[in-house]
Each structure stands twice: as structure tokens, then as C-alpha cells.
Amino acid sequence: KTEQYRAIQRKNYHILLRMLDSLEFLGTTSGEQVRFHPQVLDFGGLCADVVRRVQGVGDQAGCAVTLEQRSGNLLVRGEERMLRRLLYQLLSNAIRAAGDGGRVLLRLESREKRWVRLTVSDSGEGFSPTQLARAFDPARGNDPLAEGEWGLGLGISICRIVAEKHGGRIA
């Protein structure tokens, strides 16, 4: 029984740390204090590294996580720490949505030699129209996947901020 309580405490501790980290990130980006030092990055290599690291979490959740990379220039100018955060958040959401026996795919492709398109798809149910309409509103904290025990619902909003800081968009 004691070990069960410790496991619950550890889980709640990590959830609390993620929440605090998300709130701090949103506070610094809204105050424009976030350090943004872009450099040329191998985005394909970065994505491969993140997928490799996330596959263990996917395995524990009973979910296959794969990377599909189309040919082309995948060098980008960006902030590695922020891009990793975006990738981890999107893949984490996809694993949660896909569930046991599900599949998650991260697809990369070069677009018009100036853009890289990143697509994360999963075999889950998807968002309802109501959930989708409120998914990107950080003021309401309404990340549809955060409903219940997962957190404050800021993950998708953070992904949008990171994408926009890099001159991109999320849809």
C-alpha cells in the first residue's frame, strides 16, 4: 500500500513540475523575456532524436511511435530547446490520444525549399468541433487532452507560441 502511495506522489510531483514549467514559459513569453537565440539546426536529426526518446513512453502506453522523413533540406534556423519542447508536447498528446494499441506518426517534409512541414498524427478519435474551437486559447487553459488529471491545458497553446516564434504556424 505504501508503495502505491509513493507512486501516486511521484506522478503528482511530475505533473506539478510540468504545470509550473508551463506557467513559467507562458509568463516569460507573454512578457517577451524569453531568450530566443536561433541557430542552424538539423531538424530531421532533432526529430529523430526526440522520437527515439519518446518511443519508450509509447511502448509503456502500448502505442507505436514512428518517424517518416521525406527527402529535402531539413536545416532550419531555430531555438533547439523550444523546438524540443514543441515536439515532446505534440508527441505526448498524440500518445495519450492514441492509447493502448494505437499508432503515432511524426512526418517531416521540405516545402518549397524554405519551409519544413511537421505533421503529427495518431490513431485516436480526434477532437470534437467544440474541443477544436477552444484548443488554442491559453487564457482558458482548454487543451482538450488535458481534461481530467493531465494538467492545466496549456500544452497546445505553448506549441502555438513556439511555432509562431519560429515564423511558423500550428493548425
Side-chain angles (χ1 to χ4, degrees), residues 80-111:
E80 181 177 356
R81 183 180 49 80
M82 292 176 84
L83 291 172
R84 277 186 187 277
R85 179 184 200 109
L86 174 130
L87 291 167
Y88 280 123
Q89 183 67 52
L90 292 175
L91 290 170
S92 172
N93 285 1
I95 289 169
R96 211 172 319 135
D100 191 20
R103 294 174 314 283
V104 172
L105 173 66
L106 187 149
R107 180 180 294 128
L108 284 175
E109 57 187 312
S110 178
R111 306 287 290 184

Side-chain angles (χ1 to χ4, degrees), residues 3-154:
E3 199 51 45
Q4 286 178 320
Y5 289 137
R6 285 188 181 145
I8 292 168
Q9 283 178 324
R10 280 192 298 275
K11 178 183 172 186
N12 289 336
Y13 174 74
H14 290 290
I15 290 170
L16 181 60
L17 285 178
R18 282 197 325 264
M19 287 180 188
L20 291 172
D21 186 53
S22 294
L23 288 171
E24 178 188 26
F25 181 84
L26 286 174
T28 57
T29 55
S30 64
E32 297 302 322
Q33 300 165 1
V34 69
R35 291 182 312 247
F36 187 69
H37 303 290
Q39 58 187 358
V40 175
L41 300 169
D42 172 11
F43 195 55
L46 178 69
C47 289
D49 181 55
V50 170
V51 166
R52 206 172 20 259
R53 292 171 189 259
V54 167
Q55 282 173 331
V57 174
D59 290 345
Q60 287 180 355
C63 180
V65 182
T66 57
L67 170 67
E68 178 184 302
Q69 189 170 334
R70 307 244 170 123
S71 61
N73 180 5
L74 295 178
L75 295 178
V76 299
R77 188 157 175 74
E79 170 70 50
E80 181 177 356
R81 183 180 49 80
M82 292 176 84
L83 291 172
R84 277 186 187 277
R85 179 184 200 109
L86 174 130
L87 291 167
Y88 280 123
Q89 183 67 52
L90 292 175
L91 290 170
S92 172
N93 285 1
I95 289 169
R96 211 172 319 135
D100 191 20
R103 294 174 314 283
V104 172
L105 173 66
L106 187 149
R107 180 180 294 128
L108 284 175
E109 57 187 312
S110 178
R111 306 287 290 184
E112 302 168 11
K113 297 184 182 182
R114 291 193 53 221
W115 299 97
V116 173
R117 174 179 279 174
L118 165 73
T119 306
V120 177
S121 58
D122 63 66
S123 59
E125 293 179 21
F127 294 155
S128 72
T130 304
Q131 290 173 319
L132 189 57
R134 61 189 172 101
F136 294 106
D137 185 357
R140 291 172 46 194
N142 283 325
D143 179 342
L145 288 172
E147 293 170 355
E149 65 178 87
W150 294 102
L152 297 176
L154 301 172

